[in-house]
Every structure is written in C-alpha cells, then in structure tokens.
Amino acid sequence: MRAKLLEEAKHELEERIDGANSEAEQKLERARREAQLEHDDKLLKTNTKWKNKFDPVDQKLAVALAKIKKTDQELRSVRECSARKLEELASSNEERVESMQTKLQEEAKHELEKRIDGARKEGEEAQLEHDENMLKTST
C-alpha cells in the first residue's frame, strides 16, 4: 500500500511539476511578448521622434530639389535658344560675307576694267604720238 501511496504521490508530484512548468512557460512567454511589445513601442516612439525631426528637412530638400530641376530646365531652354540664335547669326553672317565678297569682286572687276581702258587710252595716245613723230621725221 505504501508503494501505491508513493506511486500516487509521485504521480501527483509529477503533475504538479508539469503544471508548474507549463505555468512557468506561459508566464515566460507572456513576459517575452510584453518585453517585445515594450521594445516595439520604444522603436515606434524613436522612429516617430526621428521622423518628426527629419520630415521638415526632407520637405526642404524636396523643395530645393524641385527648384534645382526647374532651374536646370530653364538653363537647358536658354542654352537651346542661344544655340538657335547663334546658328541664325552664323547663317546671316555667312550670307553677309558672301554678299560682301560678291560686291568686292564686282568693284575689283570694275576697277580692273577702268585700268584696262585707261591703259588702252594711254597706249593709243602713245601710239599717236609715236606716229606723229614718225611723220615729222619723215618729212
């Protein structure tokens, strides 16, 4: 009988130990979850704190970036416009140069023709004088 009582006591003790272990595991798991929740809450507060600090900075950076992009686009537009105007000026200058070259060539041609005519007249006068001299000497 004593063995039976010992066996029952042992069995009851094992059940108590199992129950205590199970209860301890549940408490430990609950403590872990609470610690994790506290940790997550602290992280959330920290993240919110930093987010609140950096949101205005991020907003300022976004505005500055938008201004830079706008300025860059304006500069590109001005460069393109300047390039077009430069091309137009270059084309206009080429036309002017060609026109001036044509004009100068025509003036040079006229000047040369005048010189040729003058030289012919001088040549004819010289020939006349020569002929007259020849006539005087022959008489």
Side-chain angles (χ1 to χ4, degrees):
M1 172 133 181
R2 192 173 171 185
K4 191 176 180 184
L5 282 176
L6 277 174
E7 188 63 35
E8 284 179 13
K10 181 181 174 188
H11 186 64
E12 189 179 316
L13 187 59
E14 285 176 353
E15 284 179 3
R16 283 185 183 174
I17 290 173
D18 286 346
N21 281 342
S22 177
E23 190 177 321
E25 284 178 10
Q26 288 175 357
K27 285 182 180 178
L28 181 62
E29 185 60 34
R30 214 175 303 128
R32 282 184 185 147
R33 277 186 265 147
E34 286 177 10
Q36 184 65 44
L37 285 173
E38 285 178 24
H39 178 71
D40 290 349
D41 190 45
K42 285 180 183 177
L43 282 177
L44 183 62
K45 286 179 182 175
T46 302
N47 286 346
T48 303
K49 174 183 160 187
W50 286 109
K51 186 177 182 290
N52 290 340
K53 279 187 177 183
F54 287 115
D55 272 353
V57 173
D58 287 345
Q59 196 172 26
K60 287 178 183 176
L61 287 173
V63 168
L65 182 62
K67 287 180 181 178
I68 288 170
K69 286 181 178 180
K70 182 180 176 186
T71 303
D72 183 53
Q73 184 60 40
E74 288 171 352
L75 285 173
R76 287 175 194 240
S77 176
V78 167
R79 274 191 223 123
E80 289 170 5
C81 183
S82 295
R84 280 193 305 272
K85 286 187 178 183
L86 188 61
E87 283 179 30
E88 290 171 5
L89 285 173
S91 175
S92 175
N93 284 344
E94 284 177 15
E95 290 171 7
R96 284 185 196 161
V97 166
E98 288 174 7
S99 173
M100 290 178 88
Q101 282 178 338
T102 304
K103 184 178 176 182
L104 288 172
Q105 285 173 348
E106 287 175 10
E107 288 177 4
K109 182 180 173 184
H110 286 295
E111 183 66 30
L112 189 57
E113 286 173 353
K114 283 182 187 177
R115 286 183 183 176
I116 290 172
D117 286 344
R120 281 188 187 148
K121 286 181 183 176
E122 284 181 21
E124 288 173 3
E125 286 177 11
Q127 185 64 39
L128 269 172
E129 269 184 48
H130 176 65
D131 290 347
E132 286 176 355
N133 286 337
M134 290 297 270
L135 199 83
K136 286 180 186 174
T137 55
S138 63
T139 41

